Short mmCIF file of all heavy atoms in Angstrom, two decimals:
data_model
loop_
_atom_site.label_atom_id
_atom_site.label_comp_id
_atom_site.label_asym_id
_atom_site.label_seq_id
_atom_site.Cartn_x
_atom_site.Cartn_y
_atom_site.Cartn_z
N VAL A 328 -9.41 1.18 19.17
CA VAL A 328 -9.79 2.22 18.21
C VAL A 328 -10.11 3.52 18.94
O VAL A 328 -9.72 4.61 18.52
CB VAL A 328 -11.01 1.77 17.37
CG1 VAL A 328 -11.50 2.91 16.47
CG2 VAL A 328 -10.66 0.56 16.52
N ALA A 329 -10.83 3.42 20.05
CA ALA A 329 -11.30 4.61 20.76
C ALA A 329 -10.18 5.31 21.52
O ALA A 329 -10.10 6.55 21.52
CB ALA A 329 -12.42 4.23 21.73
N TYR A 330 -9.28 4.55 22.16
CA TYR A 330 -8.30 5.16 23.06
C TYR A 330 -6.85 5.01 22.60
O TYR A 330 -5.94 5.55 23.23
CB TYR A 330 -8.44 4.55 24.46
CG TYR A 330 -9.80 4.81 25.07
CD1 TYR A 330 -10.70 3.77 25.26
CD2 TYR A 330 -10.18 6.09 25.45
CE1 TYR A 330 -11.96 4.00 25.80
CE2 TYR A 330 -11.43 6.34 25.99
CZ TYR A 330 -12.31 5.29 26.17
OH TYR A 330 -13.56 5.52 26.70
N GLY A 331 -6.64 4.28 21.51
CA GLY A 331 -5.28 4.10 21.03
C GLY A 331 -4.59 2.94 21.71
O GLY A 331 -5.12 2.32 22.64
N PRO A 332 -3.36 2.64 21.28
CA PRO A 332 -2.65 1.46 21.79
C PRO A 332 -1.96 1.67 23.13
O PRO A 332 -1.51 0.71 23.75
CB PRO A 332 -1.61 1.20 20.69
CG PRO A 332 -1.32 2.56 20.15
CD PRO A 332 -2.61 3.32 20.21
N GLY A 333 -1.84 2.91 23.57
CA GLY A 333 -1.15 3.16 24.83
C GLY A 333 0.31 3.55 24.63
O GLY A 333 0.80 3.67 23.50
N GLY A 334 1.01 3.76 25.74
CA GLY A 334 2.36 4.30 25.69
C GLY A 334 3.40 3.34 25.15
O GLY A 334 4.38 3.76 24.54
N VAL A 335 3.22 2.05 25.40
CA VAL A 335 4.20 1.06 24.92
C VAL A 335 3.77 0.60 23.54
O VAL A 335 3.15 -0.45 23.37
CB VAL A 335 4.31 -0.14 25.89
CG1 VAL A 335 5.45 -1.06 25.46
CG2 VAL A 335 4.54 0.34 27.31
N SER A 336 4.10 1.39 22.54
CA SER A 336 3.68 1.10 21.18
C SER A 336 4.52 1.92 20.20
O SER A 336 5.10 2.94 20.56
CB SER A 336 2.20 1.45 20.98
OG SER A 336 1.99 2.84 21.13
N PHE A 337 4.56 1.47 18.96
CA PHE A 337 5.28 2.20 17.93
C PHE A 337 4.64 3.57 17.68
O PHE A 337 5.33 4.56 17.43
CB PHE A 337 5.30 1.40 16.63
CG PHE A 337 6.43 0.40 16.57
CD1 PHE A 337 6.27 -0.87 17.08
CD2 PHE A 337 7.64 0.74 16.00
CE1 PHE A 337 7.28 -1.80 17.02
CE2 PHE A 337 8.67 -0.17 15.94
CZ PHE A 337 8.50 -1.45 16.46
N ASP A 338 3.30 3.61 17.73
CA ASP A 338 2.61 4.87 17.48
C ASP A 338 3.02 5.94 18.49
O ASP A 338 3.22 7.10 18.15
CB ASP A 338 1.09 4.66 17.54
CG ASP A 338 0.57 3.92 16.32
OD1 ASP A 338 1.34 3.78 15.35
OD2 ASP A 338 -0.59 3.47 16.35
N GLU A 339 3.15 5.52 19.76
CA GLU A 339 3.52 6.49 20.80
C GLU A 339 4.98 6.93 20.63
O GLU A 339 5.32 8.09 20.82
CB GLU A 339 3.32 5.85 22.18
CG GLU A 339 3.55 6.80 23.35
CD GLU A 339 2.56 7.94 23.41
OE1 GLU A 339 1.44 7.80 22.86
OE2 GLU A 339 2.91 9.01 23.98
N HIS A 340 5.84 5.97 20.30
CA HIS A 340 7.27 6.32 20.13
C HIS A 340 7.47 7.23 18.92
O HIS A 340 8.36 8.09 18.93
CB HIS A 340 8.10 5.05 19.98
CG HIS A 340 8.34 4.35 21.30
ND1 HIS A 340 9.19 4.86 22.26
CD2 HIS A 340 7.84 3.21 21.80
CE1 HIS A 340 9.21 4.04 23.30
NE2 HIS A 340 8.39 3.03 23.05
N LYS A 341 6.64 7.07 17.89
CA LYS A 341 6.76 7.93 16.71
C LYS A 341 6.49 9.40 17.07
O LYS A 341 7.08 10.30 16.49
CB LYS A 341 5.77 7.48 15.64
CG LYS A 341 6.24 6.30 14.82
CD LYS A 341 5.13 5.74 13.95
CE LYS A 341 4.58 6.80 13.04
NZ LYS A 341 3.44 6.32 12.24
#
Side-chain angles (χ1 to χ4, degrees):
V328 174
Y330 298 111
V335 187
S336 64
F337 275 88
D338 287 349
E339 186 65 24
H340 282 289
K341 279 170 58 184

